[in-house]
Amino acid sequence: MTGSAAEERGRADAVVVGGGAAGLCLAHRLTSTGTTAVTLIEAPDGPLRPAERTWCYWDDGPGEFEEAVVASWPRLRITAQDGATITSGPMPLRYRMLRSAPFEDLVHSRLGRYPGARVLRATVHEVRDVRGGAEVSCTTAEGEALTVRGRRIFDSRPLRRLPPARTTLLQHFRGWFVRTATPCFDPEVADLMDFRVPQPAHGLAFGYVLPLAPDRALVEYTEFSRAALSTTAYETALRHYTNDVLHLGPLTVESAEQGVIPMTDARFPRRTGQSVFRIGAAGGATRPATGYTFAAVQRQSRAIAAALRDGTTTVPRPHRRRAVAMDAVVLRALDTGRIDGPRFFTDLFRRTPTERLLRFLDGGSTPWEELGIGLRTPVLAMLRTAAELPFLERRAPTPPGESR
């Protein structure tokens, strides 16, 4: 095939690079709101294609992706280091779990209803501005070199290096999908944070349990700290948590998942060219102090679709400035050890109505609600941290695996 023919095959109004949560949500939103030609470029099968992942969020009713929701929970539980529990039912909110494979299948089936939508499996090499838009140089799964052109390109690929920041922690975890010999779980209750695990010298650690049935659940060990662990260390921590803390008895590990989510106050560029935009975690959609991303990705996708419909060319911020500023203080206070992580989060859930706290974590709270939540934190430590932040230099984070 000639170069010009390859280019002609790839023309689109919008090109979305990356088939994760951000790319799938945006491609779906653009097609369903009237953008006539959208090309979604996903990595082909192989090392560049991520393993199946879990995304969680809370919502006040069945949303547009409810068909792909694996499970949901009306009640949430926090367990302190001493075993005391805080259980709440934050009606009308429910905590929901999506698995990436069913979610991808759902979005692909919906994209197939629109003649102008196309899903392309290809390895992306370069994204750049050109006259009248931008283009993606890639190689298809069949080995064909292809140039895909669009008026605008939305790139969700992970960044090779994080931008400079004052504070960068990692939320890193490994989870087991387990089946127990006897019923051990309450399918109505999700354990968001169980602090009855050994705490690291720096940061915090907790267990995370999402029941799928009385004898099935996703059980994770999670840390907020500066460096990830080895798989062996995660396995040791999970064995301790399932055996010595949860007392699950004999169990079968049916599958596992592992990941690292940067938690940083870095300033992510939302535009890298005249017609090239960053979305998703690569565009700052991950909530800095919690690691939650999916709800912000949906919010950003709706805003981008509305902006294109109205003829503007901006990608809105995924989080409000106030939320980012408050998260920067929390991250710094955790990193310096000025606040005790398990006590900090336990007290937040103990002292704040859960529905209000979840709206705050999702970026939907009012300034008065945020002030009330702030007054329920270690005020002096937070004020000291807020006062020093403007004077701290932003530095490039040390990549995982390198010495600090």
Side-chain angles (χ1 to χ4, degrees):
M1 178 176 289
T2 65
S4 60
E7 290 175 1
E8 182 63 29
R9 262 187 53 186
R11 292 191 184 278
D13 293 324
V15 179
V16 180
V17 179
L24 290 167
C25 285
L26 181 59
H28 172 265
R29 179 62 57 180
L30 291 177
T31 53
S32 63
T33 54
T35 298
T36 56
V38 177
T39 296
L40 171 64
I41 304 178
E42 300 180 343
D45 293 334
L48 295 179
R49 193 164 182 82
E52 188 171 8
R53 299 158 331 275
T54 297
W55 299 313
C56 290
Y57 62 104
W58 39 82
D59 206 345
D60 59 4
E64 58 190 329
F65 302 125
E66 189 69 16
E67 295 170 57
V69 171
V70 175
S72 67
W73 302 269
R75 293 159 55 199
L76 305 176
R77 181 164 55 209
I78 306 294
T79 303
Q81 286 179 284
D82 62 5
T85 61
I86 305 159
T87 305
S88 62
M91 292 295 291
L93 299 176
R94 290 179 71 100
Y95 196 57
R96 287 172 160 80
M97 174 203 277
L98 288 169
R99 293 283 282 161
S100 58
F103 180 68
E104 180 181 295
D105 291 342
L106 174 64
V107 174
H108 282 184
S109 69
R110 292 181 179 179
L111 293 179
R113 302 171 188 171
Y114 298 93
R118 179 171 64 136
V119 178
L120 173 68
R121 288 285 185 93
T123 301
V124 173
H125 306 297
E126 186 180 7
V127 177
R128 59 182 175 269
D129 278 316
V130 295
R131 180 178 296 179
E135 66 182 21
V136 180
S137 297
C138 54
T139 303
T140 68
E142 295 75 28
E144 176 191 2
L146 184 65
T147 299
V148 182
R149 290 193 171 183
R151 293 175 57 199
R152 299 178 183 86
I153 292 178
F154 300 93
D155 191 350
S156 69
R157 292 174 300 162
L159 299 176
R160 290 188 175 91
R161 295 183 74 95
L162 293 173
R166 295 166 298 193
T167 310
T168 298
L169 295 177
L170 301 177
Q171 180 181 157
H172 51 99
F173 59 89
R174 182 171 175 83
W176 287 344
F177 284 88
V178 303
R179 184 183 295 272
T180 56
T182 59
C184 296
F185 307 106
D186 182 352
E188 294 291 299
V189 182
D191 285 282
L192 286 188
M193 288 180 161
D194 183 346
F195 292 110
R196 296 174 297 168
V197 297
Q199 296 298 312
H202 188 95
L204 66 120
F206 56 90
Y208 178 65
V209 183
L210 301 182
L212 305 174
D215 62 344
R216 294 177 53 242
L218 169 60
V219 181
E220 286 188 357
Y221 172 81
T222 301
E223 281 193 17
F224 291 3
S225 59
R226 292 179 180 175
L229 305 179
S230 66
T231 298
T232 300
Y234 289 122
E235 293 280 300
T236 299
L238 277 166
R239 280 194 294 271
H240 167 74
Y241 184 52
T242 55
N243 292 337
D244 303 330
V245 178
L246 297 180
H247 304 292
L248 298 183
L251 59 82
T252 301
V253 178
E254 298 183 325
S255 62
E257 65 177 26
Q258 187 168 317
V260 178
I261 302 171
M263 301 167 62
T264 173
D265 66 354
R267 294 167 176 164
F268 288 81
R270 301 192 309 281
R271 190 171 193 164
T272 57
Q274 187 64 30
S275 301
V276 181
F277 304 87
R278 280 282 185 178
I279 60 170
T286 299
R287 186 70 192 261
T290 66
Y292 283 104
T293 306
F294 191 79
V297 159
Q298 294 187 70
R299 193 164 53 240
Q300 187 181 58
S301 297
R302 288 192 293 268
I304 290 172
L308 294 186
R309 185 180 62 244
D310 296 340
T312 60
T313 57
T314 60
V315 171
R317 295 178 181 275
H319 301 290
R320 297 174 181 172
R321 292 179 184 271
R322 293 196 315 271
V324 172
M326 288 183 289
D327 281 3
V329 175
V330 173
L331 281 180
R332 179 68 180 175
L334 284 172
D335 192 43
T336 57
R338 290 187 187 128
I339 60 175
D340 177 88
R343 182 179 302 172
F344 175 82
F345 284 105
T346 301
D347 286 347
L348 268 184
F349 277 89
R350 179 182 289 122
R351 299 171 179 174
T352 308
T354 305
E355 189 270 340
R356 184 183 305 169
L357 183 57
L358 294 183
R359 281 193 289 108
F360 165 72
L361 296 176
D362 201 29
S365 52
T366 67
W368 284 110
E369 288 174 330
E370 292 160 8
L371 176 61
I373 292 171
L375 293 175
R376 291 172 171 84
T377 66
V379 175
L380 292 180
M382 303 296 272
L383 288 176
R384 177 186 173 188
T385 304
E388 78 174 4
L389 278 176
F391 303 99
L392 296 178
E393 181 183 356
R394 294 182 181 269
R395 300 175 180 272
T398 304
E402 295 185 11
S403 60
R404 188 170 288 276

